[in-house]
Amino acid sequence: QVQLVESGGGSVQAGGSLKLSCVASGSTFSLHYMAWFRQAPGKTRTGVASIRIAGRETSYTESVQGRFTISLDNRKRTVYLEMDSLKPEDTAMYYCAAVTTDRNIRARHALLEFAYNAWGQGTQVTVSS
């Protein structure tokens, strides 16, 4: 099993930046993908960015491309989400997710909730206008 703990959320004005961190523990040797999802009040949870552990390939949802960057420090078992040029519509609870190699997910599923089998508790990001 993999456990995930997020940090780095907070409140910022539009145009500002935040950096989220997610530390993985447990069976991290079997990690396949890690990702960030977000859920705004009254909306479903959606994928924001993902990274494949072995090859570091990344994917982003269209609304954050060019503003958000996902990265991985494998030694620290930590995935980051750097968020620049934040907009009020980025306000949401942000969740870290991970999936292990036994799931063998496809790249096209990397931003889909059903693909992941480990979740953090979430960290709140609030962007004011």
Side-chain angles (χ1 to χ4, degrees), residues 71-87:
S71 61
L72 173 70
D73 184 331
N74 214 5
R75 183 177 60 85
K76 295 182 179 179
R77 298 292 188 263
T78 301
V79 66
Y80 303 97
L81 185 68
E82 293 186 73
M83 305 183 293
D84 298 316
S85 302
L86 282 161
K87 303 175 181 180

Side-chain angles (χ1 to χ4, degrees), residues 14-94:
S17 300
L18 282 174
K19 185 175 182 177
L20 306 183
S21 301
C22 172
V23 179
S25 61
S27 302
T28 57
F29 60 90
S30 62
L31 285 174
H32 188 25
Y33 280 84
M34 294 186 73
W36 288 94
F37 286 73
R38 66 186 180 187
Q39 185 170 22
K43 296 188 177 181
T44 58
R45 189 158 56 182
T46 58
V48 175
S50 70
I51 186 166
R52 191 168 78 92
I53 304 303
R56 301 291 198 270
E57 293 95 343
T58 59
S59 62
Y60 298 89
T61 192
E62 186 174 353
S63 64
V64 307
Q65 283 183 348
R67 300 188 298 122
F68 290 12
T69 304
I70 189 171
S71 61
L72 173 70
D73 184 331
N74 214 5
R75 183 177 60 85
K76 295 182 179 179
R77 298 292 188 263
T78 301
V79 66
Y80 303 97
L81 185 68
E82 293 186 73
M83 305 183 293
D84 298 316
S85 302
L86 282 161
K87 303 175 181 180
E89 50 263 44
D90 295 318
T91 295
M93 184 70 80
Y94 282 71

Side-chain angles (χ1 to χ4, degrees), residues 6-10 20-21 36-37 92-96 120-126:
E6 305 99 331
S7 63
L20 306 183
S21 301
W36 288 94
F37 286 73
M93 184 70 80
Y94 282 71
Y95 296 91
C96 180
Q121 294 299 307
T123 185
Q124 178 67 38
V125 171
T126 303

